């Protein structure tokens, strides 16, 4: 950062706001797959504001919907129905698994998860089982459902939820190798549920996102679906990150053939244009929730938010962006596997992903698999300097690549070129 105006913003922001200022860039504007900082430098966006900007930045369709809606009504009393909320709910239910029948409102991801869990408790009570390495949001209960200790998340007075290990084949907690294993990670769900009859539900990120872009094998989901049926567990999918086309289908539930009782959405639903979230619930969960006062947030599903989210979801649907994520994601994954194996072979633990949610786990040593945190930090900061924004997992073990779903060949080629130059430089430097 050279510009005094940018330095001034960073200094004043750090003093006035509780926020992360580790990245020496002041955001100014963005368009399509490009971000521009206050100094006029541009960056290729390979992280989408952490999986938010699925349709790309400043889409004219969404801006037009926002403008038109702002002239009609931005807000409505939350107890009154609106056409915009009705249209959005109908659109989402048409795209969602048939097991979900009703939309509950939220302003973001943590709140959507809280709503789904609240509906589950209203229906059945008991406890919700969660999976290690998951992140479900920053509200008090969502933090207690997340793997807070592992990721250094703030403590909460809510007791931690019971937890089983994730389906993390690269670091299998059981020391097994898929497909030669017995899916011990799925069996752990059944063991936990049988050992504690108070466990009535399972909350799952189908692909663990900020915990490292961890994609379980399809057989894991077949087993989980069976176990939920056998043990009578409510299956709640947190698709805040995986939803809205990110993993190559509108929902990961579609891709894995799951029949969840609830699915939560946020991030890509509003696409960064508005704060919005949703919990898509089956009839029993919805009925149970509606027996109580409606405590959805006052600002959830305003007409403005609904109009923008509807326009945004229609772009995903009409431009077949989930399909583009599947096709381009496949090409990008293959290119990244080749690139990292060629340029950084000693430190590339695993390159994995689904659609346009890709993780590259860096290690100090292929045998010990000790995480190469400093190396990941260097790659992220050097990419930033070279004009490419990539992210990492919470624990900095894994580089996270999540471009907008509009990604095309030219942008991908350009970004891979920048990444190759950066990797060649860091490969020469010592210390992983
Ligand atoms: C899987 C998942 N669930 C929930 C959340 C929380 O969403 P929000 O930050 O909108 O509350 C996140 C955010 O990163 C997430 O990745």
């Amino acid at each position: 950062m050279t510009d005094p105006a940018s330095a001034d913003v960073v200094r004043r922001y750090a003093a006035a706001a509780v926020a992360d200022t580790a990245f020496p860039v002041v955001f100014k504007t963005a368009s399509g797959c490009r971000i521009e900082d206050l100094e006029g430098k541009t960056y290729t966006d390979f992280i989408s504001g952490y999986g938010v900007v699925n349709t790309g930045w400043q889409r004219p369709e969404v801006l037009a919907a926002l403008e038109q809606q702002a002239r009609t009504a931005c807000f409505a009393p939350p107890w009154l129905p609106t056409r915009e909320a009705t249209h959005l709910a109908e659109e989402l239910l048409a795209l969602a698994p048939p097991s979900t029948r009703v939309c509950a409102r939220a302003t973001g991801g943590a709140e959507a998860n809280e709503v789904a869990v609240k509906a589950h408790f209203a229906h059945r009570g008991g406890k919700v089982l969660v999976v290690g390495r998951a992140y479900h949001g920053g509200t008090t209960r969502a933090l207690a459902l997340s793997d807070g200790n592992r990721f250094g998340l703030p403590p909460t007075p809510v007791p931690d939820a019971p937890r089983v290990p994730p389906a993390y084949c690269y670091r299998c907690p059981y020391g097994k190798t898929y497909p030669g294993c017995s899916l011990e990670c799925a069996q752990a769900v059944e063991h936990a549920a049988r050992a504690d009859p108070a466990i009535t539900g399972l909350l799952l990120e189908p692909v663990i996102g900020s915990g490292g872009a961890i994609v379980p094998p399809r057989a894991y989901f077949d087993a989980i679906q069976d176990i939920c049926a056998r043990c009578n567990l409510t299956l709640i999918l947190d698709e805040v990150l995986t939803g809205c086309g990110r993993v190559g289908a509108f929902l990961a539930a579609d891709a894995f053939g799951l029949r969840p009782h609830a699915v939560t959405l946020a991030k890509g639903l509003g696409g960064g244009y508005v704060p919005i979230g949703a919990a898509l619930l089956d009839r029993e969960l919805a009925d149970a929730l509606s027996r109580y006062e409606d405590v959805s947030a006052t600002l959830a599903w305003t007409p403005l938010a609904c109009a923008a989210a509807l326009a945004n979801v229609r772009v995903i649907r009409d431009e077949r962006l989930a399909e583009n994520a599947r096709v381009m994601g496949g090409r990008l994954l293959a290119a990244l596997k080749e690139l990292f194996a060629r340029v950084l072979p000693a430190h590339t633990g695993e390159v994995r992903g689904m659609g346009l949610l890709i993780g590259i786990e860096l290690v100090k040593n292929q045998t010990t698999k000790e995480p190469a945190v400093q190396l990941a930090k260097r790659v992220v900061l050097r990419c930033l300097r070279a004009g490419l924004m990539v992210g990492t997992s919470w624990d900095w073990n894994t580089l996270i690549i999540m471009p907008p779903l509009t990604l095309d060949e030219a942008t991908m080629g350009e970004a891979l070129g920048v990444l190759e130059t950066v990797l060649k430089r860091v490969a020469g430097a010592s210390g992983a």
Side-chain angles (χ1 to χ4, degrees):
M1 184 180 299
T2 50
D3 178 25
S6 298
D8 182 51
V9 173
V10 170
R11 191 177 41 75
R12 286 167 45 202
Y13 184 63
V18 178
D20 188 347
T21 48
F23 294 97
V25 167
V26 180
F27 179 95
K28 182 180 170 202
T29 185
S31 170
C33 274
R34 309 268 173 207
I35 291 175
E36 186 184 325
D37 74 10
L38 202 58
E39 301 180 16
K41 178 172 172 178
T42 58
Y43 305 82
T44 302
D45 179 13
F46 254 41
I47 191 67
S48 305
Y50 225 88
V52 173
V53 192
N54 286 8
T55 52
W57 299 85
Q58 300 293 96
R59 293 288 312 216
E61 300 87 337
V62 186
L63 298 182
L66 270 170
E67 206 177 338
Q68 195 187 337
Q69 186 59 44
R71 287 206 203 91
T72 315
C74 294
F75 175 72
W79 56 89
L80 296 184
T82 65
R83 284 172 305 179
E84 295 75 22
T86 309
H87 292 157
L88 179 62
E90 288 172 351
E91 186 79 42
L92 290 179
L93 292 170
L95 291 165
S99 52
T100 58
R101 296 293 175 81
V102 183
C103 273
R105 304 176 291 126
T107 55
E111 202 178 279
N113 285 329
E114 296 248 2
V115 169
V117 168
K118 208 158 40 185
H120 169 69
F121 286 129
H123 181 37
R124 302 191 45 198
K127 297 183 203 163
V128 168
L129 185 66
V130 294
V131 170
R133 290 192 165 265
Y135 178 66
H136 298 297
T139 53
T140 310
R141 186 183 293 281
L143 279 173
L145 297 164
S146 305
D147 201 342
N149 285 342
R150 177 182 298 276
F151 298 135
L153 307 177
T156 106
V158 178
D160 274 358
R163 197 174 308 266
V164 289
Y168 188 9
C169 297
Y170 180 65
R171 294 180 190 276
C172 176
Y174 304 95
K176 299 287 174 71
T177 305
Y178 182 80
C181 67
S182 309
L183 290 169
E184 283 80 355
C185 46
Q187 285 180 20
V189 171
E190 179 152 10
H191 294 154
R194 300 229 180 266
D196 182 355
I199 292 175
T200 50
L202 172 67
L203 172 64
L204 196 66
E205 272 185 88
V207 175
I208 290 179
S210 41
I214 300 166
V215 190
R218 166 79 190 228
Y220 172 77
F221 293 103
D222 296 342
I224 289 289
Q225 187 73 64
D226 274 4
I227 290 164
C228 286
R230 270 205 310 278
C231 300
N232 191 22
L233 299 180
T234 299
L235 177 59
I236 304 170
L237 294 183
D238 176 347
E239 295 231 29
V240 166
L241 184 59
T242 53
C244 298
R246 173 61 52 195
V247 294
F250 187 71
L251 296 175
D254 306 331
F256 292 120
L258 289 166
R259 298 179 304 283
H261 299 90
V263 177
T264 59
L265 298 173
K267 291 187 184 264
L269 173 59
Y273 295 91
V274 283
I276 190 165
L280 314 181
L281 305 174
D282 74 3
R283 180 60 65 191
E284 284 75 23
L285 291 178
D287 286 350
L289 195 58
S290 53
R291 282 202 295 274
Y292 297 90
E293 284 292 337
D294 178 3
V295 290
S296 303
T298 311
L299 295 177
W301 284 47
T302 63
L304 190 68
C306 291
L310 183 62
N312 185 54
V313 168
R314 285 188 172 152
V315 170
I316 296 174
R317 185 196 65 190
D318 296 346
E319 295 190 3
R320 301 169 64 86
L321 291 185
E323 171 75 2
N324 196 55
R326 193 176 60 73
V327 173
M328 293 304 292
R331 289 181 198 161
L332 183 56
L333 183 65
L336 288 168
K337 281 186 176 169
E338 186 282 324
L339 175 64
F340 276 80
R342 175 164 50 82
V343 183
L344 212 57
H347 297 302
T348 303
E350 188 178 49
V351 183
R352 56 183 176 246
M354 183 168 176
L356 283 170
L357 170 50
I358 296 178
I360 300 132
E361 183 151 350
L362 299 179
V363 290
K364 287 187 179 175
N365 177 301
Q366 294 286 3
T367 311
T368 64
K369 297 186 178 175
E370 189 184 341
V373 170
Q374 294 310 322
L375 180 62
K377 287 188 178 171
R378 274 209 301 282
V379 172
V380 171
L381 286 172
R382 282 185 187 229
C383 279
L384 193 66
R385 267 187 238 132
L388 177 66
M389 283 196 188
V390 300
T392 65
S393 56
W394 275 116
D395 51 12
W396 291 85
N397 285 7
T398 303
L399 299 174
I400 302 283
I401 306 273
M402 285 192 284
L405 310 187
T406 50
L407 182 69
D408 57 30
E409 291 282 355
T411 311
M412 182 173 90
E414 198 185 303
L416 286 168
V418 174
L419 193 54
E420 177 157 356
T421 308
V422 167
L423 291 183
K424 282 181 173 158
R425 281 206 199 113
V426 298
S430 62

